[in-house]
Amino acid sequence: MQHEPFMPKGRFISRYSAQSEELFERVAPTPVSNPRWLRFNAELAEKMGLDTREWTGDSGLAVLSGNRPLAGNEPIAMAYAGHQFGQWVPQLGDGRAIQIGEVRDPEGRVLGIQLKGAGPTPFSRQGDGRAALGPVIREYLLSEGMAGLGIPTTRALAAVTTGDLVHRETPEPGAILTRVARGFVRVGTFEYFAARGQGEAVRSLADMVRSETGSAEGSGVHVYRSWFEQIVAAQAALIARWMSVGFIHGVMNTDNMSVYGETIDYGPCAFMDAFDPKRVFSSIDRQGRYAYQQQPGIGLWNLTRLAESLLTLLGESTEEAVEWAEDSLGRYAEGFHQAYDEAFRKKIGLRSVSELSRSLVADLLEIMAEQGADFTLSFRNIVSLVQQARSGRSGKLPGFGDAAALVPWALRWSSALEAEGLTESKADELMKTVNPLFIPRNHRVQQVIDECGDSGDLSSFESLLAVTSKPFLEDSSLSAWANPPKAHEVVRQTFCGT
Ligand code: AMP
Ligand code: MG
């Protein structure tokens, strides 16, 4: 370990580590034997006001592998609890993530920087605090793909290998992901302090989060209420966006739900290939609690746990707080449906939401489910599919079964376009800006992981990142990256990174 701290350019600050001591434990990363770069995200670094040249040198590598401290920043692991698969777990916390610092970006927003896989913390329980190469690459690709789609998410600033083995079912190469977020406060963070009756911690944490999310100043009940409403609206909008790209989070436990409305904790998550609303990927989700179509409901369930944790802030008395929170949570469904309808009417190329747009969306999804159609390509190719359906030509477009199944739908869709004064080509233009061509497909992610692990070859990693960071851009030379898996390539299950 190089003890001399690295002092990079950038506006580093202490927000979380300056809060009251009960919120976290001070703990430094455990050094690793032989760190090497997998990737540094220069584009993100620039947005954060960091100097890429400085970070891509030995000092940056040492900091991002946990071998060297960052000057003026105190590394910490945060305390939190959570409901996992509906069960209360009073003590979780950052068991394999250490926040090494916080930075104010050029736009004035605070961003936290965490090393995931940086060694044990007081919250590690039986875990080793480490991460294996596979889950690190997976999180890098999925979170950056999410960002490419314009959906709020934690970002990947860097990934390194450690030179050490981690022991899972078999020994695997160790790696560390540097992730960046507006903050790492989760629903479970509030649950932790509320359950312990630490009302002051709940309040100060709420004040800290509020001050960074543009919420009004002050300390009256109304201020906390409007902040809570913001969280509810942001979460409803986020889940609607996930649904619109066929994303399944996989472990929507309350400890994996950020109060900043960002997608966080890319474990056994996946973008669906063949559409099935009941689809589950996670090997541990045996009941399908976190299936695709369950996600909106689970969002509400988690927000209800958040409301319970904030009751001391949401009313003068518990009774008043409960009554208000019930009303407020009652508006979640409306917020979700609004965001969902809006996202999906764009996906079928319409200008506005109506009864007709809703039923067209629902019916198309039903046909897609019956056909086992590829979620991404079916939306991307609606015009071609409809043309094929109309012409009665045989032959299949990739990712769709029998276009003839679309004939009645195509008729209704055409008249809906006409009613809005849209031509098919105009609608197609709109659709191509919202229906991605490239998503980080599971079989491709697996291929990248295998190649990185076996030969250290990073070329597919770079290619997959390149296409998914511009997911709407057509490029015939890259079309192979858009294809659904062949039968033997389908990945049926995903696993937690633990
Ligand atoms: P997750 O299901 O990945 O969200 O993690 C649930 C809890 O387990 C969190 O408190 C994590 O910090 C902790 N955890 C997961 N993996 C490890 C690990 N390898 N070592 C220590 N703690 C871990
Ligand atoms: Mg987690």
Side-chain angles (χ1 to χ4, degrees):
M1 172 109 170
Q2 268 179 284
H3 290 289
E4 187 199 331
F6 176 46
M7 200 182 298
K9 292 177 208 136
R11 294 162 69 196
F12 287 88
I13 61 160
S14 300
R15 173 183 57 166
Y16 211 86
S17 59
Q19 301 287 315
S20 107
E21 293 277 336
E22 60 212 352
L23 299 187
F24 54 82
E25 298 280 350
R26 293 181 203 282
V27 56
T30 305
V32 300
S33 61
N34 185 19
R36 287 177 193 277
W37 289 113
L38 281 166
R39 197 168 198 282
F40 181 79
N41 188 343
E43 205 181 316
L44 176 63
E46 193 173 317
K47 285 203 184 108
M48 295 169 68
L50 304 181
D51 180 343
T52 293
R53 256 203 329 218
E54 199 179 38
W55 278 88
T56 47
D58 289 347
S59 304
L61 179 60
V63 169
L64 298 179
S65 57
N67 281 3
R68 192 174 170 182
L70 200 51
N73 289 265
E74 278 179 298
I76 56 164
M78 299 178 189
Y80 56 82
H83 278 86
Q84 300 191 310
F85 291 91
Q87 301 298 314
W88 171 240
V89 185
Q91 172 82 67
L92 290 162
D94 288 333
R96 59 168 162 180
I98 294 177
Q99 176 168 293
I100 56 163
E102 288 174 297
V103 66
R104 203 174 275 287
D105 73 9
E107 285 171 28
R109 283 178 318 181
V110 177
L111 297 168
I113 307 171
Q114 267 192 353
L115 302 187
K116 199 166 167 184
T121 77
F123 305 112
S124 295
R125 295 170 295 165
Q126 274 78 36
D128 58 2
R130 292 298 185 189
L133 178 66
V136 164
I137 288 181
R138 197 178 166 71
E139 174 153 357
Y140 197 117
L141 288 166
L142 277 117
S143 62
E144 288 305 296
M146 194 66 87
L149 292 165
I151 299 177
T153 176
T154 61
R155 301 289 306 265
L157 178 64
V160 302
T161 50
T162 60
D164 302 319
L165 289 175
V166 295
H167 298 278
R168 298 294 178 256
E169 264 149 37
T170 53
E172 292 181 41
I176 297 176
L177 179 87
T178 305
R179 67 174 173 184
V180 171
R182 302 216 45 200
F184 295 102
V185 179
R186 304 133 190 275
V187 169
T189 320
F190 285 102
E191 287 183 287
Y192 180 87
F193 296 105
R196 293 164 166 243
Q198 293 176 272
E200 266 322 295
V202 169
R203 181 181 295 271
S204 62
L205 195 58
D207 288 339
M208 188 207 77
V209 176
R210 272 187 330 110
S211 71
E212 291 297 334
T213 49
S215 168
E217 296 204 357
S219 58
V221 164
H222 66 284
V223 179
Y224 294 108
R225 287 181 175 180
S226 75
W227 168 65
F228 180 76
E229 283 178 332
Q230 247 181 40
I231 297 178
V232 172
Q235 202 54 238
L238 178 67
I239 297 173
R241 299 288 308 273
W242 290 353
M243 303 297 278
S244 79
V245 293
F247 179 73
I248 302 171
H249 182 286
V251 234
M252 289 179 71
N253 294 334
T254 55
D255 52 301
N256 292 337
M257 186 191 267
S258 159
V259 297
Y260 292 89
E262 292 181 334
T263 314
I264 189 171
D265 271 21
Y266 290 82
C269 56
F271 288 86
M272 244 188 302
D273 297 305
F275 180 57
D276 171 4
K278 296 196 182 68
R279 191 75 172 87
V280 174
F281 280 95
S282 170
S283 59
I284 55 172
D285 189 2
R286 293 193 189 88
Q287 315 282 322
R289 179 179 168 91
Y290 299 139
Y292 172 80
Q293 67 180 8
Q294 298 284 95
Q295 298 183 118
I298 291 291
L300 178 60
W301 195 90
N302 289 349
L303 290 165
T304 308
R305 305 288 83 76
L306 178 64
E308 288 164 359
S309 310
L310 297 177
L311 285 180
T312 51
L313 305 177
L314 297 177
E316 300 299 346
S317 65
T318 307
E319 231 174 32
E320 191 195 278
V322 168
E323 195 179 319
W324 181 85
E326 280 174 354
D327 263 11
S328 175
L329 290 165
R331 289 188 290 275
Y332 166 87
E334 195 187 320
F336 170 76
H337 286 298
Q338 237 172 39
Y340 179 93
D341 290 343
E342 188 59 22
F344 275 86
R345 67 93 186 152
K346 288 186 190 152
K347 288 183 78 69
I348 59 167
L350 293 177
R351 285 194 217 270
S352 55
V353 173
S354 63
E355 270 313 305
L356 180 58
S357 78
R358 284 194 203 103
S359 83
L360 281 167
V361 166
D363 295 349
L364 178 59
L365 288 172
E366 202 178 311
I367 298 167
M368 282 166 55
E370 279 162 10
Q371 298 274 324
D374 184 80
F375 185 89
T376 306
L377 288 189
S378 298
F379 279 106
R380 180 77 180 183
N381 297 328
I382 284 181
V383 169
S384 315
L385 285 168
V386 161
Q387 283 170 355
Q388 189 171 346
R390 256 189 227 126
S391 71
R393 266 184 287 125
S394 57
K396 284 181 185 169
L397 285 164
F400 202 88
D402 180 7
L406 275 177
V407 170
W409 187 87
L411 273 174
R412 288 162 60 218
W413 179 68
S414 297
S415 38
L417 290 189
E418 233 167 82
E420 289 198 334
L422 284 166
T423 60
E424 272 175 22
S425 70
K426 189 77 205 152
D428 198 33
E429 241 172 66
L430 171 64
M431 290 191 283
K432 295 247 148 71
T433 65
V434 295
N435 293 332
L437 179 57
F438 300 109
I439 49 161
R441 289 183 185 267
N442 259 318
H443 68 296
R444 290 300 202 168
V445 172
Q446 197 51 51
Q447 179 195 335
V448 169
I449 292 171
D450 293 344
E451 286 181 21
C452 292
D454 295 345
S455 58
D457 179 2
L458 298 175
S459 55
S460 335
F461 185 25
E462 291 297 333
S463 303
L464 185 51
L465 263 179
V467 294
T468 53
S469 66
K470 295 190 175 60
F472 305 104
L473 277 191
E474 206 94 31
D475 182 337
S476 52
S477 69
L478 297 170
S479 60
W481 292 98
N483 290 338
K486 302 198 177 78
H488 68 278
E489 293 173 323
V490 174
V491 175
R492 293 183 203 285
Q493 263 195 344
T494 49
F495 300 88
C496 274
T498 45

